Amino acid sequence: MVTWIVLAAVLVGLLVLGMSARPLLARRRRVERALRRLRERQRQAEALQADAARLRAATAVVQQRVLDARQRIELIKAKTRAE
């Protein structure tokens, strides 16, 4: 008889443990999904940062070309005035 009472108490304890663990497992899945989405966004952000760095470098090259072109224009204008 005592064995049945102990067994019932253990089973009730396991049942309560299982019922309390169920919402935690459901939240864990949501957290894992959110973590995957965050990692994907981080990867996208890193790719955008790399693209931005390339654009900054390209902009610097174009700005230098503009400055060079302005200097050449000034030289041409100076030569034209001198003639």
Side-chain angles (χ1 to χ4, degrees), residues 53-69:
R54 283 192 292 274
L55 285 174
R56 281 192 295 273
T59 301
V61 170
V62 170
Q63 285 175 339
Q64 186 59 46
R65 287 182 183 171
V66 167
L67 290 175
D68 292 345

Side-chain angles (χ1 to χ4, degrees), residues 74 76-83:
E74 290 301 319
I76 293 170
K77 284 181 180 179
K79 287 181 184 179
T80 305
R81 287 185 204 132
E83 293 177 355

